[in-house]
Amino acid sequence: MKLLGFLREWALILAILFGILAYFIYISIPFSEAVHSITADIVGVVQPLFIFAMLYLTFCRVNPRDLRLRGWHLWLLLIQSGLFTGIGCILIALPHSQMRIVLEGAMLCLICPTATAGAVVTGKLGGSVSDITSYTILINIVVALLIPALMPFVHPNPDMNVWQAAFRILAKVFPLLLLPLICAMLTRRYLPNWSSKIAAHPDISFYLWAISLSLAITMTTRSIWHSEVDMVTQLCLVAVSFVCCCIQFALGKWIGSHYGDNITPGQSFGQKNTVLAIWMGYTFFTPVTALVGGFYSIWHNVYNSWQLHRHAHEKSLSDDTH
C-alpha cells in the first residue's frame, strides 16, 4: 500500500522521467532501421488504444440519469471551439507565419478535451462530478467534429483533397473520442455486471494513464530531439502552455461564478486530457507542438495540487471552528 501511495503521489514526475529516459535508452541501442520502423508502427497503434481504454473505463462509471446540461456548458463549448477555430483561420490566412508553431500550440491547448481524471479532482474540491462528466462527453463530441473539419485547411495534404483528408482524420479521431462512449453505454445496458466490476476497480484507469503518459512523453522527446525548430520557439511553446492553463482555469471559474459553481467549470475548462493532447500534437499538428501537452500536464497538476491543499486546509479550519 505504501508503494502504491508513493506511485500515486509522484506518478506525474515518474511518468515524465521514465518516458524521457526510455527514449534515450532506445536510441542508444543499435537497432536496424527496420526495427525502428516497426517500433514506430507499434506505438502508433498502442497509444490510441490506451487513450480509448481510459475513456471507456471512465464512461463505464457514468450513469446517464445523472447527466445534466448546464448553461455554462454551452458557454465553455462556444469559447473553446471559437478560439480554436479563430486561431485556425489566422493560420489558414497566414500559412507561412513565423508564429505558426506557437499558434498551433495554443490551438492544441485550447481544444484539448477535459481530463478523464477531472471528475476525481472536482469531487474532492466540492464540485459536481455529474456536471464535469457531462461536459467531458460534450467536448469529446465537439473535438471529434472540429479536428477533421479544420485541420485539412490548417495542414493541407498535397496528396489528397480536403474531403479525403477530413475523412482520414475523422477515421482516427472518431474511434478514439466517441466510440468509447458508445461502447460504455452499450456495456451499461447489456452487460451491467461487467460495468459494475469496472466501476469497482478505478485503479485500472490510473495505471493506464501512467503508461500512456510515459509513452506520450517518449514520443514528445523524439519530436524535440529530431526537430529543427529553434530553442526560442520551443520555449515559447512552454510559455504558451502556461498562459493557456492560467487563462482557461480563470475563465472557467469566472463563468461558473455566474452559475453558482466556480469549481466545476474551472476544472472542466482547465484540467486537460494531456495524453490525448500529446497524441494530437504529433499526429495532426507540427510534431514539436506535442511539447505543449507535456508541459500543460505539469502546470495543471501543480495547480490542482495547490487547490487540493488549500481546500483541505480550509476544511480543517472549518472543522476546528465547529
Side-chain angles (χ1 to χ4, degrees), residues 17-301:
L17 291 177
F18 182 80
I20 295 171
L21 184 63
Y23 176 72
F24 287 110
I25 291 175
Y26 174 74
I27 62 173
S28 67
I29 302 173
F31 290 125
S32 65
E33 286 299 321
V35 173
H36 284 295
S37 178
I38 293 172
T39 303
D41 291 339
I42 292 174
V43 171
V45 173
V46 170
Q47 182 72 352
L49 287 176
F50 275 124
I51 297 172
F52 175 95
M54 285 191 297
L55 288 172
Y56 170 72
L57 293 172
T58 299
F59 293 145
C60 273
R61 295 195 292 270
V62 174
N63 187 341
R65 295 177 182 177
D66 296 332
L67 303 180
R68 297 287 186 275
L69 184 63
R70 306 296 183 188
W72 59 263
H73 285 156
L74 300 178
W75 279 111
L76 294 192
L77 288 172
L78 181 63
I79 293 170
Q80 262 192 278
S81 56
L83 290 174
F84 175 77
T85 304
I87 297 175
C89 290
I90 292 173
L91 290 175
I92 293 169
L94 304 171
H96 305 295
S97 171
Q98 294 182 344
M99 294 293 291
R100 181 178 187 85
I101 294 177
V102 177
L103 290 174
E104 284 186 5
M107 289 178 70
L108 193 55
C109 288
L110 292 167
I111 199 57
C112 183
T114 306
T116 55
V120 176
V121 177
T122 300
K124 289 182 177 180
L125 292 173
S128 172
V129 172
S130 59
D131 285 354
I132 191 175
T133 303
S134 299
Y135 188 77
T136 302
I137 294 172
L138 291 171
I139 191 59
N140 277 344
I141 294 172
V142 169
V143 172
L145 297 174
L146 264 184
I147 293 289
L150 194 61
M151 291 313 295
F153 296 98
V154 176
H155 272 286
N157 190 328
D159 297 327
M160 58 183 71
N161 61 40
V162 171
W163 285 105
Q164 290 173 321
F167 280 113
R168 186 173 180 179
I169 295 172
L170 183 63
K172 289 185 177 182
V173 173
F174 175 82
L176 209 59
L177 295 181
L178 298 186
L179 196 55
L181 175 62
I182 296 172
C183 291
M185 294 300 102
L186 291 175
T187 301
R188 287 188 63 90
R189 177 67 177 83
Y190 297 106
L191 298 170
N193 291 335
W194 173 249
S195 181
S196 298
K197 288 180 179 179
I198 290 175
H201 295 86
D203 286 344
I204 298 175
S205 296
F206 167 74
Y207 295 126
L208 286 175
W209 171 82
I211 297 170
S212 298
L213 181 58
S214 291
L215 194 57
I217 293 297
T218 299
M219 297 305 294
T220 303
T221 304
R222 176 178 178 271
S223 298
I224 296 171
W225 191 253
H226 292 283
S227 175
E228 296 180 357
V229 176
D230 61 273
M231 183 58 67
V232 173
T233 301
Q234 294 189 38
L235 290 175
C236 285
L237 287 172
V238 175
V240 162
S241 67
F242 177 76
V243 171
C244 286
C245 184
C246 294
I247 289 174
Q248 289 181 108
F249 270 111
L251 194 55
K253 286 179 177 293
W254 181 74
I255 290 173
S257 66
H258 292 79
Y259 291 88
D261 178 10
N262 66 347
I263 295 172
T264 312
Q267 296 305 123
S268 298
F269 206 14
Q271 190 173 349
K272 301 291 189 179
N273 186 348
T274 51
V275 172
L276 180 63
I278 294 170
W279 177 80
M280 289 195 298
Y282 65 72
T283 303
F284 304 122
F285 294 73
T286 305
V288 75
T289 56
L291 178 66
V292 299
F295 275 94
Y296 197 104
S297 180
I298 295 174
W299 308 137
H300 83 178
N301 276 285

